[in-house]
Short mmCIF file of all heavy atoms in Angstrom, two decimals:
data_model
loop_
_atom_site.label_atom_id
_atom_site.label_comp_id
_atom_site.label_asym_id
_atom_site.label_seq_id
_atom_site.Cartn_x
_atom_site.Cartn_y
_atom_site.Cartn_z
N LEU A 433 -0.51 -93.97 -132.48
CA LEU A 433 -0.13 -95.37 -132.71
C LEU A 433 -0.75 -95.93 -133.98
O LEU A 433 -0.89 -97.14 -134.12
CB LEU A 433 -0.55 -96.22 -131.49
CG LEU A 433 0.10 -95.83 -130.17
CD1 LEU A 433 -0.48 -96.64 -129.02
CD2 LEU A 433 1.62 -96.00 -130.22
N LEU A 434 -1.14 -95.05 -134.90
CA LEU A 434 -1.79 -95.46 -136.13
C LEU A 434 -1.03 -94.92 -137.34
O LEU A 434 -0.36 -93.89 -137.26
CB LEU A 434 -3.23 -94.94 -136.18
CG LEU A 434 -4.21 -95.50 -135.17
CD1 LEU A 434 -5.51 -94.72 -135.21
CD2 LEU A 434 -4.48 -96.99 -135.45
N ASP A 435 -1.16 -95.62 -138.43
CA ASP A 435 -0.64 -95.15 -139.71
C ASP A 435 -1.84 -94.83 -140.59
O ASP A 435 -2.38 -95.71 -141.26
CB ASP A 435 0.24 -96.23 -140.35
CG ASP A 435 0.86 -95.75 -141.66
OD1 ASP A 435 0.85 -94.53 -141.91
OD2 ASP A 435 1.36 -96.60 -142.42
N GLU A 457 -8.57 -105.54 -130.87
CA GLU A 457 -7.48 -104.64 -130.53
C GLU A 457 -7.79 -103.27 -131.14
O GLU A 457 -8.53 -103.17 -132.12
CB GLU A 457 -6.14 -105.18 -131.03
CG GLU A 457 -5.79 -106.52 -130.42
CD GLU A 457 -4.47 -107.08 -130.92
OE1 GLU A 457 -3.55 -106.27 -131.17
OE2 GLU A 457 -4.35 -108.31 -131.06
N ASP A 458 -7.21 -102.22 -130.57
CA ASP A 458 -7.57 -100.87 -130.99
C ASP A 458 -6.46 -99.91 -130.58
O ASP A 458 -6.48 -99.35 -129.50
CB ASP A 458 -8.90 -100.47 -130.33
CG ASP A 458 -9.49 -99.19 -130.89
OD1 ASP A 458 -8.73 -98.36 -131.40
OD2 ASP A 458 -10.72 -99.01 -130.80
N ALA A 459 -5.49 -99.74 -131.47
CA ALA A 459 -4.35 -98.88 -131.16
C ALA A 459 -4.78 -97.43 -130.97
O ALA A 459 -4.22 -96.71 -130.13
CB ALA A 459 -3.30 -98.97 -132.27
N ILE A 462 -5.92 -96.88 -127.49
CA ILE A 462 -4.83 -96.88 -126.52
C ILE A 462 -4.19 -95.50 -126.44
O ILE A 462 -3.85 -95.02 -125.34
CB ILE A 462 -3.80 -97.97 -126.86
CG1 ILE A 462 -4.40 -99.35 -126.53
CG2 ILE A 462 -2.50 -97.77 -126.10
CD1 ILE A 462 -3.54 -100.52 -126.92
N TRP A 767 6.92 -105.45 -117.19
CA TRP A 767 7.26 -106.09 -118.46
C TRP A 767 8.00 -105.12 -119.37
O TRP A 767 8.93 -105.50 -120.10
CB TRP A 767 6.02 -106.61 -119.16
CG TRP A 767 5.47 -107.90 -118.63
CD1 TRP A 767 4.20 -108.15 -118.21
CD2 TRP A 767 6.17 -109.15 -118.51
NE1 TRP A 767 4.07 -109.46 -117.81
CE2 TRP A 767 5.26 -110.11 -117.99
CE3 TRP A 767 7.49 -109.55 -118.77
CZ2 TRP A 767 5.63 -111.42 -117.74
CZ3 TRP A 767 7.85 -110.88 -118.52
CH2 TRP A 767 6.92 -111.78 -118.01
N GLU A 771 11.83 -105.18 -121.07
CA GLU A 771 11.90 -104.98 -122.52
C GLU A 771 11.20 -106.09 -123.28
O GLU A 771 11.62 -106.49 -124.37
CB GLU A 771 13.36 -104.80 -122.96
CG GLU A 771 14.01 -103.59 -122.30
CD GLU A 771 15.45 -103.34 -122.73
OE1 GLU A 771 15.85 -103.84 -123.80
OE2 GLU A 771 16.17 -102.65 -121.98
N ASP A 772 10.11 -106.55 -122.71
CA ASP A 772 9.27 -107.56 -123.35
C ASP A 772 8.00 -106.86 -123.82
O ASP A 772 7.00 -106.78 -123.11
CB ASP A 772 8.94 -108.67 -122.36
CG ASP A 772 8.28 -109.88 -123.03
OD1 ASP A 772 7.60 -109.69 -124.05
OD2 ASP A 772 8.46 -111.00 -122.51
N GLY A 773 8.05 -106.33 -125.04
CA GLY A 773 6.94 -105.55 -125.57
C GLY A 773 5.66 -106.35 -125.72
O GLY A 773 4.57 -105.84 -125.48
N GLU A 774 5.79 -107.61 -126.14
CA GLU A 774 4.58 -108.42 -126.33
C GLU A 774 3.89 -108.68 -125.00
O GLU A 774 2.66 -108.60 -124.91
CB GLU A 774 4.95 -109.74 -127.01
CG GLU A 774 5.37 -109.58 -128.47
CD GLU A 774 5.38 -110.90 -129.21
OE1 GLU A 774 4.31 -111.54 -129.31
OE2 GLU A 774 6.46 -111.28 -129.68
N ALA A 775 4.66 -108.99 -123.94
CA ALA A 775 4.05 -109.23 -122.63
C ALA A 775 3.46 -107.94 -122.07
O ALA A 775 2.37 -107.96 -121.48
CB ALA A 775 5.09 -109.81 -121.67
N ALA A 776 4.15 -106.83 -122.24
CA ALA A 776 3.62 -105.56 -121.76
C ALA A 776 2.32 -105.23 -122.46
O ALA A 776 1.34 -104.81 -121.83
CB ALA A 776 4.64 -104.44 -121.97
N TYR A 777 2.29 -105.43 -123.76
CA TYR A 777 1.07 -105.14 -124.53
C TYR A 777 -0.07 -106.08 -124.15
O TYR A 777 -1.22 -105.64 -123.99
CB TYR A 777 1.37 -105.26 -126.02
CG TYR A 777 0.18 -105.06 -126.91
CD1 TYR A 777 -0.44 -103.82 -127.01
CD2 TYR A 777 -0.33 -106.11 -127.67
CE1 TYR A 777 -1.54 -103.63 -127.84
CE2 TYR A 777 -1.42 -105.93 -128.50
CZ TYR A 777 -2.02 -104.69 -128.58
OH TYR A 777 -3.11 -104.50 -129.40
N ALA A 778 0.23 -107.36 -123.97
CA ALA A 778 -0.81 -108.31 -123.57
C ALA A 778 -1.43 -107.91 -122.25
O ALA A 778 -2.65 -108.02 -122.06
CB ALA A 778 -0.22 -109.72 -123.49
N ASN A 779 -0.62 -107.42 -121.32
CA ASN A 779 -1.15 -107.01 -120.03
C ASN A 779 -1.85 -105.66 -120.10
O ASN A 779 -2.76 -105.40 -119.31
CB ASN A 779 -0.04 -107.02 -118.99
CG ASN A 779 0.26 -108.42 -118.49
OD1 ASN A 779 -0.37 -108.90 -117.56
ND2 ASN A 779 1.20 -109.09 -119.15
N LEU A 780 -1.44 -104.79 -121.03
CA LEU A 780 -2.19 -103.56 -121.25
C LEU A 780 -3.58 -103.88 -121.78
O LEU A 780 -4.58 -103.29 -121.35
CB LEU A 780 -1.43 -102.67 -122.24
CG LEU A 780 -2.04 -101.30 -122.53
CD1 LEU A 780 -2.16 -100.46 -121.27
CD2 LEU A 780 -1.19 -100.58 -123.58
N LEU A 781 -3.66 -104.84 -122.70
CA LEU A 781 -4.98 -105.28 -123.17
C LEU A 781 -5.79 -105.88 -122.03
O LEU A 781 -7.01 -105.65 -121.93
CB LEU A 781 -4.82 -106.31 -124.29
CG LEU A 781 -4.39 -105.78 -125.66
CD1 LEU A 781 -4.24 -106.94 -126.63
CD2 LEU A 781 -5.38 -104.76 -126.20
N MET A 819 6.98 -98.36 -122.31
CA MET A 819 7.17 -99.22 -123.47
C MET A 819 7.89 -98.48 -124.60
O MET A 819 8.58 -99.10 -125.41
CB MET A 819 5.82 -99.73 -123.97
CG MET A 819 5.12 -100.66 -122.98
SD MET A 819 3.37 -100.95 -123.37
CE MET A 819 3.51 -102.01 -124.81
N LEU A 820 7.76 -97.16 -124.63
CA LEU A 820 8.28 -96.36 -125.75
C LEU A 820 9.55 -95.60 -125.43
O LEU A 820 10.31 -95.26 -126.35
CB LEU A 820 7.20 -95.36 -126.20
CG LEU A 820 5.87 -95.97 -126.65
CD1 LEU A 820 4.87 -94.86 -126.95
CD2 LEU A 820 6.07 -96.87 -127.87
N LEU A 831 12.23 -96.82 -127.80
CA LEU A 831 11.35 -97.96 -128.14
C LEU A 831 11.84 -99.26 -127.51
O LEU A 831 11.96 -100.29 -128.18
CB LEU A 831 11.25 -98.11 -129.66
CG LEU A 831 10.89 -96.83 -130.44
CD1 LEU A 831 10.82 -97.15 -131.94
CD2 LEU A 831 9.58 -96.24 -129.95
N PRO A 832 12.11 -99.27 -126.20
CA PRO A 832 12.69 -100.47 -125.58
C PRO A 832 11.75 -101.66 -125.51
O PRO A 832 12.21 -102.80 -125.38
CB PRO A 832 13.06 -99.98 -124.18
CG PRO A 832 12.09 -98.87 -123.91
CD PRO A 832 11.89 -98.20 -125.23
N ALA A 833 10.43 -101.42 -125.52
CA ALA A 833 9.47 -102.52 -125.41
C ALA A 833 8.33 -102.29 -126.40
O ALA A 833 7.16 -102.43 -126.07
CB ALA A 833 8.94 -102.63 -123.98
N LEU A 834 8.69 -101.94 -127.63
CA LEU A 834 7.69 -101.69 -128.67
C LEU A 834 7.05 -103.01 -129.09
O LEU A 834 7.74 -103.91 -129.56
CB LEU A 834 8.33 -101.02 -129.87
CG LEU A 834 7.39 -100.64 -131.01
CD1 LEU A 834 6.47 -99.50 -130.59
CD2 LEU A 834 8.17 -100.27 -132.26
N PRO A 835 5.73 -103.15 -128.97
CA PRO A 835 5.10 -104.41 -129.35
C PRO A 835 4.85 -104.47 -130.86
O PRO A 835 4.68 -103.42 -131.51
CB PRO A 835 3.78 -104.38 -128.59
CG PRO A 835 3.45 -102.92 -128.47
CD PRO A 835 4.77 -102.21 -128.34
N PRO A 836 4.80 -105.65 -131.43
CA PRO A 836 4.48 -105.77 -132.86
C PRO A 836 3.13 -105.15 -133.23
O PRO A 836 2.93 -104.76 -134.38
CB PRO A 836 4.47 -107.29 -133.09
CG PRO A 836 5.34 -107.84 -132.00
CD PRO A 836 5.13 -106.96 -130.83
N ALA A 837 2.22 -105.04 -132.26
CA ALA A 837 0.90 -104.47 -132.53
C ALA A 837 0.95 -102.98 -132.86
O ALA A 837 -0.05 -102.43 -133.35
CB ALA A 837 -0.02 -104.70 -131.33
N TRP A 838 2.08 -102.32 -132.59
CA TRP A 838 2.22 -100.89 -132.90
C TRP A 838 3.35 -100.70 -133.91
O TRP A 838 4.37 -100.08 -133.60
CB TRP A 838 2.54 -100.09 -131.64
CG TRP A 838 1.53 -100.21 -130.53
CD1 TRP A 838 0.24 -100.64 -130.63
CD2 TRP A 838 1.74 -99.90 -129.14
NE1 TRP A 838 -0.37 -100.62 -129.39
CE2 TRP A 838 0.53 -100.16 -128.47
CE3 TRP A 838 2.83 -99.41 -128.42
CZ2 TRP A 838 0.38 -99.96 -127.09
CZ3 TRP A 838 2.69 -99.22 -127.06
CH2 TRP A 838 1.48 -99.48 -126.40
N PRO A 839 3.21 -101.19 -135.12
CA PRO A 839 4.34 -101.13 -136.07
C PRO A 839 4.71 -99.72 -136.49
O PRO A 839 5.87 -99.45 -136.81
CB PRO A 839 3.84 -101.95 -137.26
CG PRO A 839 2.34 -101.86 -137.18
CD PRO A 839 2.03 -101.85 -135.72
N THR A 840 3.74 -98.82 -136.48
CA THR A 840 3.99 -97.45 -136.92
C THR A 840 3.39 -96.50 -135.90
O THR A 840 2.28 -96.72 -135.40
CB THR A 840 3.36 -97.19 -138.29
OG1 THR A 840 3.95 -98.07 -139.25
CG2 THR A 840 3.59 -95.75 -138.75
N GLY A 841 4.11 -95.44 -135.61
CA GLY A 841 3.59 -94.48 -134.65
C GLY A 841 4.58 -93.36 -134.39
O GLY A 841 5.63 -93.26 -135.03
N TRP A 858 8.40 -93.91 -135.74
CA TRP A 858 8.85 -95.21 -136.18
C TRP A 858 7.90 -95.76 -137.24
O TRP A 858 6.74 -95.36 -137.33
CB TRP A 858 9.00 -96.18 -135.02
CG TRP A 858 7.72 -96.55 -134.31
CD1 TRP A 858 6.93 -97.63 -134.54
CD2 TRP A 858 7.09 -95.83 -133.22
NE1 TRP A 858 5.85 -97.64 -133.68
CE2 TRP A 858 5.92 -96.56 -132.86
CE3 TRP A 858 7.41 -94.66 -132.53
CZ2 TRP A 858 5.08 -96.13 -131.84
CZ3 TRP A 858 6.56 -94.24 -131.52
CH2 TRP A 858 5.41 -94.97 -131.19
N ARG A 859 8.42 -96.66 -138.04
CA ARG A 859 7.64 -97.29 -139.10
C ARG A 859 8.14 -98.72 -139.28
O ARG A 859 9.35 -98.96 -139.24
CB ARG A 859 7.78 -96.52 -140.41
CG ARG A 859 6.94 -97.07 -141.58
CD ARG A 859 6.96 -96.13 -142.77
NE ARG A 859 6.27 -94.88 -142.45
CZ ARG A 859 4.96 -94.72 -142.51
NH1 ARG A 859 4.18 -95.74 -142.88
NH2 ARG A 859 4.42 -93.56 -142.21
N SER A 860 7.20 -99.64 -139.46
CA SER A 860 7.53 -101.07 -139.59
C SER A 860 8.39 -101.55 -138.43
O SER A 860 9.30 -102.38 -138.60
CB SER A 860 8.23 -101.33 -140.93
OG SER A 860 7.42 -100.94 -142.01
N GLY A 861 8.11 -101.01 -137.24
CA GLY A 861 8.82 -101.44 -136.04
C GLY A 861 10.20 -100.87 -135.88
O GLY A 861 10.92 -101.25 -134.95
N LYS A 862 10.62 -99.95 -136.76
CA LYS A 862 11.96 -99.37 -136.72
C LYS A 862 11.87 -97.86 -136.53
O LYS A 862 11.08 -97.19 -137.20
CB LYS A 862 12.73 -99.66 -138.01
CG LYS A 862 12.89 -101.14 -138.33
CD LYS A 862 13.84 -101.81 -137.35
CE LYS A 862 14.09 -103.27 -137.73
NZ LYS A 862 14.99 -103.94 -136.75
N ALA A 882 16.27 -102.18 -130.47
CA ALA A 882 16.89 -103.47 -130.81
C ALA A 882 16.97 -103.61 -132.33
O ALA A 882 16.03 -103.31 -133.05
CB ALA A 882 16.08 -104.62 -130.22
#
Side-chain angles (χ1 to χ4, degrees):
L433 299 175
L434 293 171
D435 183 14
E457 299 180 35
D458 191 334
I462 288 175
W767 282 126
E771 299 181 21
D772 191 331
E774 290 195 61
Y777 176 67
N779 281 273
L780 183 60
L781 286 178
M819 294 166 72
L820 301 175
L831 309 180
L834 182 69
W838 302 341
T840 299
W858 65 95
R859 183 171 294 277
S860 301
K862 302 290 184 181

